[in-house]
Amino acid sequence: MLSFCTLSAYGSSLGKRGGCRVLSVTQFCLKRLETGGGMLQIILGAVMLGLLWAIMTIGVYITYRILDIADLTVEGSIAMGAAIAAQAIYSGINPYAATFLALVGGMAAGLITGLLHTRLKVPALLSGILTMIALYSINLRILGKANLSLLRMETVYTVFKDMGVDKNTVFVNLGISQVVPVITLGLLCVLGIIGILYWFFGTEVGCSVRSTGDNPQMSRAQGINTNNMIILGLIISNGLVAVSGALIAQQQSFADVQMGIGSIVIGLASVIIGEVLFGKRNFFSRLVSLVLGAITYRVIIALVLEIGMPANDLKLFTAITVAIALALPVFRSYLSPITKSMKVGM
Amino acid sequence: MLSVGGVYKTFNIGTVNEKTALRNISLNLEEGDFVTLIGGNGSGKSTLLNCIAGVHAVDQGAIIIDGIDVTKFSEHKRAGILGRVFQDPMVGTAANMEIEENLALAYRRGRNRSLRWGISQKERELYKELLRPLDLGLENRLGARVGLLSGGQRQALTLLMATLRKPKLLLLDEHTAALDPKTAAKVLELSDKFIEEGKLTTLMVTHNMRDAIKHGNRLIMMYDGRILLDIKGETKQQLTVEALLQRFGQASGEEFSNDRALLS
Ligand SMILES: Nc1ncnc2c1ncn2[C@@H]1O[C@H](COP(=O)(O)OP(=O)(O)OP(=O)(O)O)[C@@H](O)[C@H]1O
Ligand SMILES: [Mg+2]
C-alpha cells in the first residue's frame, strides 16, 4: 500500500494532465498515512524511489558535472526508457530484456544529442532541447497513447514475489512487502552502476572524457578527440537515465509520456544535495553522494507532503530548492569576501 | 621538420569583421631549429601557431610536419606529433584533475586510448623522477589537483607535459607572458633546458626582444600577417636590440616606436 502512496505523490508531480485525479488519490493516500502509516513506511518508500532516481541522478551528474553540459535530453530519455520498457513488457518480452532495450534507446537518444552538438555545431543546451522535444513524439508512438498500464504484468520486481517476499509475515506486518523487492533490486543496480562507472572513469578513455569536460582545449592538445568523448558521455548518461525510467515505470506500474517533465531539475537537485551534504572527496564518494542525494531529495519531498504541502506545488518547491542551492556560492561570497580573497591568493 | 607553404588565413570572411591574419606565409624549420617569433599585437603570431596546430583550418597553402602533410588533419590528430604551451597557464592543464592524471593524459598523446587503467604505478615513478628537477616540490604532490597550483607551477607542468613524449615540433605561444618576471625567467630557463636536452625543434613566440635575441638559433619577425625578417646563423648570434629595431625600420618603412608592444 505504502509504495503506492508515495508513488502517487510522485505521480502528481508529473504534470498538469489528470491533475484532479492524481490529487484525489494523493489526498486519499495522505489520509492513509495519517491513520496507519508511520515514519518507517514513509522513509522506506522514499528510499525506494530515491534508489531508482539515483540512477537518473548519476546520468545527470555525468553530463552536468563531468562534461560540463546541462543536457535536457534526459527529460525525454527518462520517459523513453519508461515507454520502451512498458511497451516491451506489454508485448510479452521478458522484463529484464525490456529494461535492456530501454538502455539501448536512451543511448541512442544521447547519440543524437551528441551528433547535433558536435557534428552540426548546435549549442549543447539547444541540442538537448531538440532531442527532448523529438522524443516526446517518439515516446507517444512507442506507447501508442499517453500512458500504458503495467498492472498485473510481470516486471523486474516480480521475481522477488516468486521468492515469497510478499508473503513474508514480517514484511507484510510492517506494510513494506511491496518495497522490499524494489529496494533490493534498486540497490543492486545502483551498486553495479557505481562499480562500473568507477572503473570506467579510471580507464584511459574515461580519463579522456573527464579531461574533455574539464578543459577541452587542453584535451585536444593532448590528442583527445573531444567530440567523440562528448558523444560517449552523452550516450552513457542517457542510457542510465533511460534505465532509471524503465525501473520507475515498472515500480509504479505505468509509463506516462509526461513523466520526464521537470526530471532534469529533480536530477540537479539530487546532485547538489548530495554534494552539499555528503561531500566530494574522491570520485567514489562523489558517486555514493549522488545516491544519498537522490534518496535525501525523496525523503524531503515525502516529508513536506506529509506536513501538508499540496502535491501540485512540488515542482515549484523543487525549483526553488535548486535555485537556492545553485546560488549558494554567490551567497557565500557575499558573506565572506575574506575567505574568498584568501583562496584566490594562491 | 616543419614546412609551411603559402598559407593564407582570413577570419570572418564576408563580414564587417573580416580580418586577414596571415598573408602568404612560407617557412621552413630544420630539425633542431629553435626559432623565436616576434611581432606587434595582432601581427598574426598566434594565428600562425594555431594554424600549424590545427586550431584553425588554413584558407590556402600547406602545412607539412616531419614529411606528413597535416593540412587536413584535425587538431587532436596533429597533437600526436606536437607539443604546445599556451600563454594562459589555465589552458594547458585540466584544473580539476590531479597532477599525475594530467601527466598520464600527456603520456598517451598520439597513442591509442583503450580501456586499460588510466595510469600505472610504473608511470608514477617516472613522473616523480621527471618532476624532481623542476624543483617545485611537485614530485611529492602527484595526487594534488592542478587547480591548486600557481600559474608558474602550472606552466612548468604544461611544459613537461608538452615534452613528455618527444614532439616533432614544440609550439610555445608567449608561454611566460602571464607570469611575474622571476617566474617567467625560471620557466624560460626550463624551456631552454628541455629544448636543449631533447634537441627539440621549437617555435617560440615572445614579446620580449631581449629574450628573442638571447634564445634560439633563428629569429623571425612578423608584421601585418607577413614574415618581415628572418635572421639566422652568425647574424642572429651577433644581433642586438638596436640592430633589430633598425632592420625593422628598414624593412617596414615604419618607425619602430609606432609598435611599442615590441619594445621590452
Ligand atoms: N579567432 C579569431 N577570430 C577572428 N579574428 C581573429 C581570431 N584570432 C585572431 N584574429 C585576428 O587576427 C589578427 C592576428 O591575431 P593574432 O592573435 O595572431 O596576433 P598575435 O600576433 O598573436 O598578437 P598578440 O601579440 O597580441 O598575441 C588580429 O587582428 C586578431 O584580431
Ligand atoms: Mg598572440
Side-chain angles (χ1 to χ4, degrees):
Chain A
M1 188 64 230
L2 170 94
S3 65
F4 187 50
C5 288
T6 341
L7 148 72
S8 63
Y10 157 69
S12 66
S13 74
L14 287 179
K16 294 142 281 188
R17 188 198 51 82
C20 286
R21 179 181 59 82
V22 174
L23 189 62
S24 61
V25 175
T26 309
Q27 281 164 348
F28 168 73
C29 284
L30 285 177
K31 275 206 201 85
R32 290 277 314 181
L33 287 179
E34 279 155 22
T35 50
M39 225 37 175
L40 175 72
Q41 292 187 3
I42 297 177
I43 301 291
L44 275 179
V47 169
M48 172 189 75
L49 274 180
L51 280 172
L52 301 186
W53 279 85
I55 300 170
M56 177 292 172
T57 303
I58 293 173
V60 169
Y61 173 82
I62 291 174
T63 47
Y64 183 65
R65 281 288 188 237
I66 296 185
L67 284 182
D68 201 17
I69 287 175
D71 175 33
L72 289 185
T73 316
V74 294
E75 300 233 332
S77 49
I78 193 168
M80 188 195 209
I84 292 179
Q87 187 56 265
I89 290 172
Y90 194 76
S91 328
I93 293 174
N94 173 293
Y96 289 92
T99 307
F100 179 77
L101 288 179
L103 170 73
V104 175
M107 291 167 93
L111 173 68
I112 299 296
T113 302
L115 290 175
L116 281 172
H117 176 45
T118 61
R119 297 290 187 272
L120 302 182
K121 305 290 172 215
V122 180
L125 194 64
L126 199 50
S127 304
I129 291 176
L130 291 175
T131 313
M132 172 187 88
I133 291 298
L135 280 178
Y136 193 88
S137 295
I138 292 172
N139 292 342
L140 267 176
R141 272 185 187 273
I142 295 173
L143 283 175
K145 50 187 175 179
N147 54 27
L148 188 63
S149 169
L150 287 177
L151 277 178
R152 279 178 289 280
M153 296 268 172
E154 287 281 307
T155 69
V156 285
Y157 310 112
T158 46
V159 194
F160 292 85
K161 264 206 186 100
D162 304 340
M163 285 158 52
V165 171
D166 62 331
K167 299 198 184 65
N168 182 317
T169 41
V170 181
F171 293 156
V172 173
N173 286 345
L174 283 171
I176 58 172
S177 58
Q178 311 264 357
V179 182
V180 173
V182 183
I183 289 189
T184 313
L185 194 74
L187 203 58
L188 283 177
C189 284
V190 163
L191 290 179
I193 288 167
I194 287 183
I196 291 172
L197 290 182
Y198 185 75
W199 162 76
F200 174 74
F201 283 108
T203 64
E204 293 175 341
V205 177
C207 283
S208 307
V209 175
R210 281 162 55 210
S211 78
T212 297
D214 196 353
N215 186 342
Q217 210 176 341
M218 168 268 193
S219 302
R220 281 191 293 274
Q222 300 305 338
I224 292 165
N225 186 336
T226 48
N227 282 344
N228 285 356
M229 294 305 122
I230 291 172
I231 294 176
L232 181 60
L234 285 168
I235 287 178
I236 297 173
S237 164
N238 283 287
L240 288 175
V241 172
V243 166
S244 175
L247 293 179
I248 293 168
Q250 294 175 65
Q251 180 268 330
Q252 66 189 16
S253 296
F254 70 87
D256 186 312
V257 71
Q258 307 232 23
M259 74 177 273
I261 294 175
S263 57
I264 181 74
V265 184
I266 296 176
L268 288 179
S270 308
V271 170
I272 295 165
I273 293 172
E275 284 178 349
V276 170
L277 294 186
F278 304 102
K280 36 184 181 179
R281 272 161 297 128
N282 54 41
F283 189 57
F284 185 75
S285 76
R286 269 166 190 267
L287 288 174
V288 173
S289 80
L290 294 173
V291 179
L292 297 178
I295 292 174
T296 309
Y297 172 79
R298 286 296 153 189
V299 172
I300 295 173
I301 295 299
L303 292 181
V304 294
L305 285 175
E306 173 73 3
I307 57 174
M309 192 185 78
N312 280 351
D313 292 344
L314 262 185
K315 279 195 166 41
L316 178 64
F317 175 79
T318 307
I320 292 173
T321 313
V322 174
I324 292 175
L326 286 176
L328 269 184
V330 180
F331 294 146
R332 279 208 196 104
S333 69
Y334 276 126
L335 291 177
S336 56
I338 303 157
T339 39
K340 198 185 166 206
S341 66
M342 271 163 58
K343 266 186 210 152
V344 173
M346 295 179 297
Chain B
M1 186 52 74
L2 168 72
S3 160
V4 176
V7 163
Y8 286 84
K9 178 69 194 174
T10 302
F11 290 106
N12 306 317
I13 293 177
T15 72
V16 283
N17 293 322
E18 183 167 308
K19 170 77 203 173
T20 301
L22 299 179
R23 306 165 197 269
N24 195 13
I25 296 277
S26 291
L27 175 66
N28 276 297
L29 262 62
E30 300 301 323
E31 182 156 6
D33 263 356
F34 179 2
V35 178
T36 54
L37 181 57
I38 57 172
N41 290 112
S43 57
K45 308 178 297 290
S46 297
T47 306
L48 176 59
L49 261 62
N50 284 333
C51 284
I52 294 172
V55 178
H56 308 310
V58 300
D59 298 337
Q60 206 183 312
I63 291 164
I64 294 162
I65 304 173
D66 195 29
I68 307 166
D69 186 344
V70 298
T71 317
K72 295 250 150 37
F73 284 17
S74 57
E75 184 183 356
H76 70 87
K77 200 163 170 205
R78 291 183 208 195
I81 48 177
L82 295 176
R84 287 161 71 196
V85 184
F86 313 85
Q87 175 170 355
D88 182 350
M90 305 301 142
V91 172
T93 44
N96 291 314
M97 296 178 77
E98 298 166 3
I99 293 179
E100 60 178 27
E101 287 177 326
N102 273 273
L103 285 162
L105 285 169
Y107 197 59
R108 287 159 179 74
R109 189 176 59 233
R111 309 253 179 318
N112 249 347
R113 287 169 212 263
S114 68
L115 290 177
R116 274 192 306 265
W117 209 237
I119 179 166
S120 70
Q121 197 53 43
K122 224 175 82 197
E123 281 173 67
R124 287 198 178 92
E125 296 306 318
L126 170 72
Y127 300 156
K128 267 188 198 161
E129 288 314 306
L130 292 170
L131 284 168
R132 197 161 289 131
L134 301 190
D135 213 13
L136 296 166
L138 297 183
E139 65 273 15
N140 302 319
R141 299 174 62 190
L142 280 184
R145 276 182 47 232
V146 168
L148 299 172
L149 306 184
S150 70
Q153 288 174 324
R154 282 181 80 160
Q155 214 58 336
L157 181 62
T158 312
L159 199 58
L160 179 59
M161 286 164 61
T163 53
L164 198 51
R165 292 282 183 188
K166 185 181 174 181
K168 300 285 182 201
L169 177 66
L170 179 63
L171 299 173
L172 308 172
D173 189 355
E174 293 192 57
H175 67 304
T176 62
L179 308 174
D180 66 80
K182 214 174 123 210
T183 318
K186 188 158 182 219
V187 170
L188 199 54
E189 191 187 311
L190 209 57
S191 316
D192 252 348
K193 191 177 136 231
F194 278 129
I195 292 166
E196 194 170 320
E197 284 175 1
K199 299 191 174 39
L200 304 174
T201 314
T202 305
L203 192 52
M204 177 173 93
V205 176
T206 172
H207 260 177
N208 186 318
M209 281 208 280
R210 260 174 267 281
D211 286 342
I213 290 169
K214 190 172 139 210
H215 299 270
N217 63 339
R218 183 172 166 193
L219 182 148
I220 289 175
M221 183 188 277
M222 285 185 69
Y223 180 74
D224 194 25
R226 291 188 182 84
I227 291 179
L228 195 65
L229 296 175
D230 186 349
I231 306 167
K232 36 188 153 179
E234 284 277 294
T235 339
K236 161 77 168 59
Q237 274 163 26
Q238 283 150 20
L239 198 63
T240 61
V241 173
E242 291 72 31
L244 187 57
L245 288 172
Q246 205 184 359
R247 290 191 60 166
F248 173 81
Q250 285 166 359
S252 68
E254 256 186 65
E255 276 302 310
F256 209 36
S257 53
N258 289 345
D259 214 333
R260 289 219 151 259
L262 263 180
L263 296 165
S264 55

